[in-house]
């Protein structure tokens, strides 16, 4: 045997119970990622280090696991799944701009459309965001959260869905932005 050739040896093989769910943040990436959320990992005495992730016998990716930074659930990404089809579009007919006195108001409406093209139901967490401002002259007001859980500090919207095979779900959220009419606001 050649000493220059690396040899991989399994030191220990352990099984953990995991809950599987998909997650998508369509503002950043339209692909849904399958996540495995495992509990009971504390008994494994894991050391910080790189781990190879395999799913259904196929190598998916490498990740770094640091047990010191994990709270109660070890969350691992098992890669993208193109069978969850996601679109995010501004609803142009519901997006308006008007001047009220010395202020300008813009109203925005976004629609996220999700379709499960798989043959089995899926749990899916969808995350998006309403803009957050640090400028006191700019006011952002959510007008319709579309049944999302809303974090007023970060502007984060979260939906937890259960989709049936071939089901299409549409999520709509709306917000207003008011600011002095002599200013310009970008990035909305």
């Amino acid at each position: 045997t050649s000493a220059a050739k690396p040899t991989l040896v399994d030191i220990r093989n352990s099984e953990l119970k995991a809950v599987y769910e998909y997650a998508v943040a369509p503002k950043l990436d339209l692909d849904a990622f399958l996540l495995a959320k495992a509990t009971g990992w504390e008994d494994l005495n894991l050391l910080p280090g790189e781990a190879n992730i395999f799913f259904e016998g196929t190598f998916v990716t490498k990740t770094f696991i640091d047990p010191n930074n994990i709270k109660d659930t070890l969350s691992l990404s098992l890669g993208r799944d193109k069978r969850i089809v996601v679109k995010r579009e501004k609803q142009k007919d519901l997006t308006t701009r008007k001047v009220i006195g010395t202020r300008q108001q813009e109203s925005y409406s976004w629609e996220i459309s999700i379709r499960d093209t798989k043959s089995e139901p899926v749990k899916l967490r969808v995350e998006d965001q309403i803009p957050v401002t640090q400028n006191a002259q700019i006011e952002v007001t959510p007008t319709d959260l579309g049944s999302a859980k809303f974090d007023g500090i970060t502007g984060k919207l979260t939906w937890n869905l259960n989709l049936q095979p071939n089901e299409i779900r549409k999520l709509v959220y709306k917000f207003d932005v008011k600011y002095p009419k002599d200013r310009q606001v970008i990035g909305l």
Side-chain angles (χ1 to χ4, degrees), residues 84-144:
I84 310 292
V85 180
V86 181
K87 292 180 186 173
R88 179 181 185 267
E89 297 175 312
K90 187 189 293 184
Q91 294 184 301
K92 291 186 172 60
D93 54 333
L94 296 176
T95 299
T96 61
R97 177 181 293 168
K98 60 186 171 186
V99 176
I100 304 170
T102 61
R103 298 186 55 81
Q104 182 154 299
Q105 176 178 310
E106 296 184 27
S107 297
Y108 291 89
S109 179
W110 286 91
E111 179 181 85
I112 301 168
S113 173
I114 301 133
R115 181 173 178 216
D116 174 11
T117 66
K118 298 166 61 72
S119 59
E120 66 266 0
V122 297
K123 284 179 59 175
L124 175 68
R125 186 179 74 245
V126 181
E127 295 180 352
D128 212 294
Q129 184 184 33
I130 287 177
V132 176
T133 180
Q134 303 298 322
N135 186 327
Q137 293 183 318
I138 301 170
E139 182 183 333
V140 179
T141 307
T143 57
D144 183 354

Side-chain angles (χ1 to χ4, degrees), residues 2 7 27 51-52 65 67 75 77 79 82 105-106 108 125 149 167 179:
S2 169
T7 303
K27 187 175 185 176
N52 293 324
I65 297 177
S75 187
S77 174
K82 299 282 190 184
Q105 176 178 310
E106 296 184 27
Y108 291 89
R125 186 179 74 245
K149 180 180 166 194
E167 180 181 358
Y179 55 93

Side-chain angles (χ1 to χ4, degrees), residues 4 8 30-31 47 74 80 86-87 98 101 140 171 177:
L8 296 176
L30 292 176
D31 285 347
L47 297 173
L74 173 61
R80 300 171 186 265
V86 181
K87 292 180 186 173
K98 60 186 171 186
V140 179
L171 309 172
V177 180

Side-chain angles (χ1 to χ4, degrees), residues 11-12 14 16 40-49 65-68 70 74:
I11 297 172
R12 184 177 63 198
S14 302
L16 291 174
W41 61 270
E42 301 90 343
D43 300 333
L44 298 179
N45 296 318
L46 296 175
L47 297 173
I65 297 177
D66 184 356
N68 300 319
I70 303 170
L74 173 61

